[in-house]
């Protein structure tokens, strides 16, 4: 589910298993650092997968770095947590989130003003990009004008 919020932020939510999160030997909750580190599967490799728009795939750390803020909420069977980033840097530790019986990941971010002023996501953009992954169902909830315009 992709939601375009009235404040200009975007959230992308899935119903997967959630980002790998574990308790370390000191009893601290730690998660895979997907938002603040290069995804080594895609950086500096000439054969890195290309996105449908032709740009190289770089990972979530790029989204975090190009956002004024980003909140990563992670729901797993063994607990739920949230963490806030500003311009790609974590500004909070993992914060517990009350379980709601679901699993998955939600990333809500506010793109940097320079990006927001140059481009606005449309339902057509989302439809074109999602065509490249036929097994993926994408829904759009555009709340920018105050109306719920959910689309598949």
């Amino acid at each position: 589910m992709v939601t375009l919020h009235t404040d200009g932020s975007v959230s992308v939510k899935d119903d997967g298993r959630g980002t790998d999160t574990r308790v370390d030997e000191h009893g601290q909750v730690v998660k895979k650092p997907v938002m603040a580190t290069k995804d080594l599967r895609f950086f500096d490799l000439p054969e890195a997968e290309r996105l449908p728009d032709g740009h190289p795939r770089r990972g979530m750390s790029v989204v975090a770095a190009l956002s004024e803020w980003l909140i990563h909420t992670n729901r797993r069977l063994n607990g739920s947590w949230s963490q806030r980033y500003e311009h790609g840097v974590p500004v909070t530790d993992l914060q517990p989130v009350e379980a709601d019986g679901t699993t998955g990941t939600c990333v809500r971010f506010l793109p940097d003003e320079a990006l927001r002023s140059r481009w606005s996501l449309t339902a057509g953009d989302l439809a074109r990009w999602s065509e490249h992954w036929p097994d993926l169902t994408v829904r759009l909830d555009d709340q920018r004008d105050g109306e719920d315009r959910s689309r598949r």
Side-chain angles (χ1 to χ4, degrees), residues 23 29 34 39 51-52 62 79 96 107 124 132-133 135:
V23 177
V29 177
V34 294
D39 188 326
L51 296 171
V62 173
V107 176
H132 295 274
W133 293 279
D135 295 328

Side-chain angles (χ1 to χ4, degrees), residues 59-77:
M60 285 305 302
S61 61
V62 173
V63 174
L66 294 176
S67 298
E68 291 181 19
W69 55 263
L70 179 147
I71 299 170
H72 176 230
T73 302
N74 180 41
R75 295 184 180 281
R76 290 182 63 94
L77 294 175

Side-chain angles (χ1 to χ4, degrees), residues 32-136:
K32 189 170 136 182
V34 294
M35 298 296 162
T37 59
K38 288 182 178 181
D39 188 326
L40 298 177
R41 297 173 297 171
F42 308 118
F43 269 82
D44 302 325
L45 294 175
E47 69 279 1
E49 178 181 347
R50 296 271 171 182
L51 296 171
D53 63 5
H55 289 91
R57 184 171 176 179
R58 293 292 188 230
M60 285 305 302
S61 61
V62 173
V63 174
L66 294 176
S67 298
E68 291 181 19
W69 55 263
L70 179 147
I71 299 170
H72 176 230
T73 302
N74 180 41
R75 295 184 180 281
R76 290 182 63 94
L77 294 175
N78 63 340
S80 300
W81 302 272
S82 186
Q83 188 170 26
R84 182 181 173 98
Y85 298 77
E86 293 178 2
H87 298 283
V89 178
V91 295
T92 67
D93 291 329
L94 288 176
Q95 305 293 316
V97 174
E98 189 172 326
D100 66 1
T102 66
T103 60
T105 303
C106 181
V107 176
R108 182 169 177 174
F109 60 97
L110 181 66
D112 189 82
E113 175 61 33
L115 296 172
R116 291 194 319 267
S117 65
R118 290 180 29 194
W119 178 72
S120 179
L121 182 66
T122 67
D125 294 329
L126 193 59
R128 273 192 315 282
W129 297 333
S130 63
E131 288 173 359
H132 295 274
W133 293 279
D135 295 328
L136 178 68

